[in-house]
Amino acid sequence: MPLVPPYIEALRPYVAGMSPEEARRRYNLEHVDKLASNENPLGPSPLAIEAMQRSLAGLNFYPSGGVELRRRLAELYEVKIENVIAGSGSEGIMANIIRTFLLDDDEVLTTENAFIGFRVLAQSRGIAYRTVPYQDWRYDLPALAAAITEKTKIVYLANPNNPTGTIFTRHEFDEFYRHVPERVLIILDEAYFEYAKDHPKYPDSMHYRYDNVITLRTFSKIYGLAGIRIGYGFAHENLIANLLKVKLPFEPSTVAQAAGIAALDDREFLHRSLELNARGLRMMTQAFQEMQLDVVQSQANFVMLPMSTPEQADRIATSLLSQGTIVRPLKAFGLPACLRISTGAMDANERCVEHMRRAVMEEKSCPSPTSSR
Ligand SMILES: Cc1ncc(COP(=O)(O)O)c(C=O)c1O
């Protein structure tokens, strides 16, 4: 018997993008902007920073398991504390869902090129991972509903979706839900909820308190707290009770919980973050379109650009990097011809656009035999 199960051997390890320090060194640059990981360019919520500092003196004690944050979220969303879970980022909660609900013969179902974090977690459980292609870079919910089998246990939907930035609408979700058996758990990953919530057709999943739906949200994006690892989820109390049995008892950490509670009150930071993102998204989308690039309409804090070929995507990413902008090539997501660019501070966005203009010019002046653009 091998020590490592074959499905673990077969996993591809996560490869992080180049760090700004490495890019600076390699290309001899003074300044590098990282627009690769959908992080908040304004830093962490200031109220969260103060609360984290205050929490440090209590670190001799074990954490409470997130109970104060759960209580606060229950109050805010007018649900019971038994309907709320807090964990080490939404990925931490996703890991618990995978451990809690799946048997060896179960299948999970999602879209092709879904959020890589979910794919890795599901595949590390050794169960069947089935996907349905996008349609125009959006979830094809009717096709997903039709692909549900007797063995399907979890359907994973990210709304807005990473890496496309697209959303599915309330109407589309309603139609989809009618076709999902109650024994199937639907994960609605709303990591980018705050960016999309004002879209008139966006289905806020808190309005879908169905027994088989779990909503996941995070402080990593709009609240600028990706580094402390704090996320939360809402579901039927029976699902939460079972998740709590599996969750590490001292997760989230004391500091992470303090950050989350304080961030919820930081309305000013939330608005500033939203406003900056909206401006950045508008500016970048328009500028890239003017360069005749294909831009997928995004409702999140990043845009996806499908290029003509994987080679062209590589060349453009390398050109941007050499000029001082790190973007995310999507080969690891299974989209080798696509790039994802996060919004940053306005000056970083403007530099990115300038760098893209030069990269596109280089393409035109020296087209490769494989480039069809
Ligand atoms: C769709 C989606 N879900 C979840 C996450 C992870 O969030 P967290 O930092 O809360 O684990 C990300 C992060 O990029 C994401 O894009």
Side-chain angles (χ1 to χ4, degrees):
M1 275 296 265
L3 205 53
V4 180
Y7 53 86
I8 299 290
E9 286 274 14
L11 284 179
R12 277 166 282 144
Y14 180 76
V15 181
M18 192 176 287
S19 70
E21 291 69 35
E22 200 184 335
R24 252 195 301 275
R25 235 180 304 115
R26 183 174 303 185
Y27 294 98
N28 199 17
L29 295 161
E30 268 182 27
H31 182 87
V32 172
D33 297 305
K34 182 177 171 227
L35 301 181
S37 300
N38 309 340
E39 294 150 337
N40 190 327
L42 293 176
S45 139
L47 290 189
I49 294 179
E50 283 170 27
M52 287 190 278
Q53 280 162 345
R54 279 196 305 274
S55 76
L56 296 180
L59 291 188
N60 52 319
F61 298 113
Y62 280 100
S64 68
V67 72
E68 289 90 358
L69 175 58
R70 291 173 61 211
R71 192 172 299 124
R72 181 77 189 108
L73 286 162
E75 252 170 46
L76 270 179
Y77 286 89
E78 298 178 344
V79 293
K80 290 184 285 183
I81 189 171
E82 289 82 2
N83 297 122
V84 190
I85 187 165
S88 303
S90 43
E91 267 197 85
I93 303 174
M94 257 181 239
N96 288 328
I97 295 173
I98 300 282
R99 286 168 65 203
T100 305
F101 298 108
L102 290 170
L103 296 168
D104 290 350
D105 287 338
D106 289 340
E107 296 177 352
V108 301
L109 178 64
T110 185
T111 192
E112 237 171 57
N113 325 109
F115 171 53
I116 198 165
F118 178 75
R119 192 195 72 207
V120 170
L121 282 170
Q123 289 180 336
S124 69
R125 175 64 183 77
I127 41 87
Y129 178 83
R130 295 180 45 241
T131 60
V132 166
Y134 289 119
Q135 193 164 44
D136 296 330
W137 299 118
R138 297 173 71 242
Y139 278 90
D140 186 347
L141 290 183
L144 272 162
I148 292 173
T149 69
E150 303 268 281
K151 291 186 168 181
T152 307
K153 174 65 81 60
I154 290 178
V155 178
Y156 169 81
L157 309 174
N159 201 33
N161 183 43
N162 177 10
T164 58
T166 50
I167 59 168
F168 51 83
T169 66
R170 223 171 358 249
H171 176 70
E172 287 167 337
F173 183 76
D174 288 343
E175 272 302 299
F176 168 76
Y177 188 78
R178 289 198 306 122
H179 293 95
V180 181
E182 274 178 18
R183 60 172 174 81
V184 175
L185 179 65
I186 302 173
I187 302 179
L188 283 178
D189 179 345
E190 294 181 344
Y192 303 95
F193 159 78
E194 293 85 354
Y195 299 102
K197 69 180 187 335
D198 296 328
H199 187 288
K201 292 187 176 166
Y202 182 72
D204 175 347
S205 72
M206 288 308 287
H207 300 147
Y208 296 107
R209 290 300 87 213
Y210 299 129
D211 291 359
N212 59 339
V213 171
I214 179 157
T215 294
L216 295 180
R217 292 191 184 164
T218 184
F219 290 98
S220 295
K221 306 295 173 185
I222 198 89
Y223 293 107
L225 292 167
I228 199 76
R229 313 304 305 131
I230 183 80
Y232 55 103
F234 299 101
H236 186 276
E237 51 220 62
N238 180 39
L239 299 186
I240 297 288
N242 283 292
L243 282 171
L244 289 174
K245 292 180 203 164
V246 166
K247 180 180 85 67
L248 294 177
F250 300 124
E251 171 194 31
S253 75
T254 304
V255 183
Q257 172 171 250
I261 293 171
L264 287 172
D265 286 334
D266 207 341
R267 309 304 299 172
E268 195 270 332
F269 184 75
L270 182 92
H271 286 129
R272 215 151 34 92
S273 303
L274 276 178
E275 202 264 339
L276 174 63
N277 179 62
R279 274 204 298 149
L281 208 52
R282 229 180 0 254
M283 191 280 270
M284 283 170 139
T285 303
Q286 197 181 335
F288 295 148
Q289 281 170 340
E290 281 166 11
M291 295 174 212
Q292 313 297 318
L293 293 169
D294 188 7
V295 186
V296 178
Q297 203 64 40
S298 169
Q299 308 299 330
N301 63 346
F302 54 85
V303 281
M304 190 175 90
L305 307 182
M307 301 286 162
S308 302
T309 61
E311 293 76 19
Q312 187 186 38
D314 275 352
R315 284 195 302 274
I316 293 206
T318 307
S319 169
L320 294 175
L321 187 60
S322 69
Q323 299 177 70
T325 299
I326 306 178
V327 301
R328 181 79 153 108
L330 295 176
K331 194 170 169 188
F333 277 72
L335 295 168
C338 296
L339 301 177
R340 192 191 65 198
I341 306 183
S342 312
T343 61
M346 275 322 269
D347 56 348
N349 297 338
E350 277 154 20
R351 281 191 290 272
C352 172
V353 164
E354 268 321 297
H355 296 163
M356 183 64 90
R357 223 184 291 285
R358 204 163 308 147
V360 169
M361 294 266 286
E362 286 164 7
E363 283 295 303
K364 284 192 182 137
S365 62
C366 174
S368 97
T370 49
S371 170
S372 61
R373 195 178 288 281

